[in-house]
Amino acid sequence: MNEPIPVTRVTDHGTAKLMPDVDRDRAWLLTVDGAPQSYVDLDAPEHLEFEYARRLGHVLDTVAAPGRALDVLHLGGGALTLPRYVAATRPGSRQDVVEADRGLLELVAEQLPLPAGSRVALHAADARAWVEAAPDASADVLVADVFGGSRVPAHLTTLAYAREAERVLRADGVYVANLADGAPFAFLRSQLATFAEVFEELALIAEPGVLRGRRFGNAVLVASHRPVATADLARLTAADAFPARVEHGPALRRFTGDARPVTDADAVPSPEPPDGAFGIG
């Protein structure tokens, strides 16, 4: 049998590289311009290697009864880690993936094809434009994991965008986003303030060291009109290799402080990670 070899391709928005994992058969790491983006095990799609992906997976696990099919809209494609996860854990789910980089979508579809019957539709489009054109109440979950390089694009951080996301979700739908920031958390606090204007319930999942400002890292934002399953999320995230904390209620409002919602006029991308190193943990 031929051993898998790395694949490098210049796509629309950068240089993508797929590298095989020597420790797991048919497992691959995707990087774009050197920044780790996705990890996929084709034989075990329920395996989530990166901690932030595990936290997104925990949210997906708790939004409905185990195994119940969902309609999921993914903003940001990468190597389709989470769509594969949902297809494996919630068979019959209908999923749309919106990725601005058409070349990246083509590379992943060619090298890491989805299993037959996955019910995952791929769309090369701008994430916000897609959301603005999507039908009302058409999704159970909206997953935003969009990074231009290592930064969340500015047009996906605003109050107008949050209102469009809320419109696309059903009444009991859940918005979940992968964000990245470090002390003094101006970006993260602004996102909490923005989504608090639109959704009744918020939660934030992050490692304690990140929340204490000790290092730059990922934080997963959860927003909905129904109570977030914080107890279940706290149990799941505490059992991870790198345990996380779930903040909600008064503690989260204290963390947000006097931050203001972001308008289209004053929106900026998330901050550049220190030394250009993007935290995937």
Side-chain angles (χ1 to χ4, degrees), residues 27-193:
W28 296 81
L29 171 69
L30 168 69
T31 66
V32 178
D33 292 337
Q37 296 289 330
S38 304
Y39 181 99
V40 169
D41 187 331
L42 298 179
D43 291 331
E46 71 282 358
H47 173 74
L48 301 176
E49 180 77 9
F50 295 162
E51 288 298 325
Y52 85 82
R54 288 180 61 82
R55 291 165 196 152
L56 293 170
H58 293 327
V59 177
L60 288 163
D61 288 345
T62 58
V63 297
R68 184 189 129 195
L70 298 171
D71 292 335
V72 185
L73 173 58
H74 300 265
L75 305 181
L80 310 179
T81 304
L82 285 171
R84 298 173 201 270
Y85 179 81
V86 172
T89 59
R90 296 182 176 277
S93 293
R94 294 187 305 172
Q95 302 185 77
D96 288 285
V97 178
V98 182
E99 168 59 56
D101 192 331
R102 181 183 297 274
L104 179 61
L105 275 183
E106 292 172 349
L107 172 66
V108 171
E110 170 192 311
Q111 298 291 326
L112 310 175
L114 289 161
S118 295
R119 303 190 75 189
V120 178
L122 308 180
H123 312 278
D126 175 77
R128 178 156 167 181
W130 185 275
V131 170
E132 289 173 345
D136 293 358
S138 55
D140 297 306
V141 185
L142 195 164
V143 180
D145 188 11
V146 184
F147 284 82
S150 55
R151 306 177 75 182
V152 178
H155 70 309
L156 300 179
T157 69
T158 72
L159 189 56
Y161 161 73
R163 286 175 173 150
E164 288 295 318
E166 190 267 350
R167 177 188 62 78
V168 170
L169 286 166
R170 297 186 174 120
D172 62 347
V174 176
Y175 178 88
V176 55
N178 178 33
L179 306 174
D181 201 3
F185 301 113
F187 173 76
L188 190 54
R189 287 177 166 135
S190 75
Q191 289 306 282
L192 290 165

Side-chain angles (χ1 to χ4, degrees), residues 215-260:
R215 69 177 185 88
F216 189 98
N218 297 87
V220 169
L221 169 67
V222 187
S224 67
H225 288 304
R226 57 168 167 143
V228 178
T230 51
D232 292 335
L233 287 173
R235 175 178 51 81
L236 291 167
T237 58
D240 284 340
F242 296 95
R245 200 164 75 207
V246 180
E247 295 286 4
H248 61 100
L252 193 56
R253 288 191 287 273
R254 286 194 297 271
F255 179 84
T256 306
D258 59 0
R260 306 285 297 172

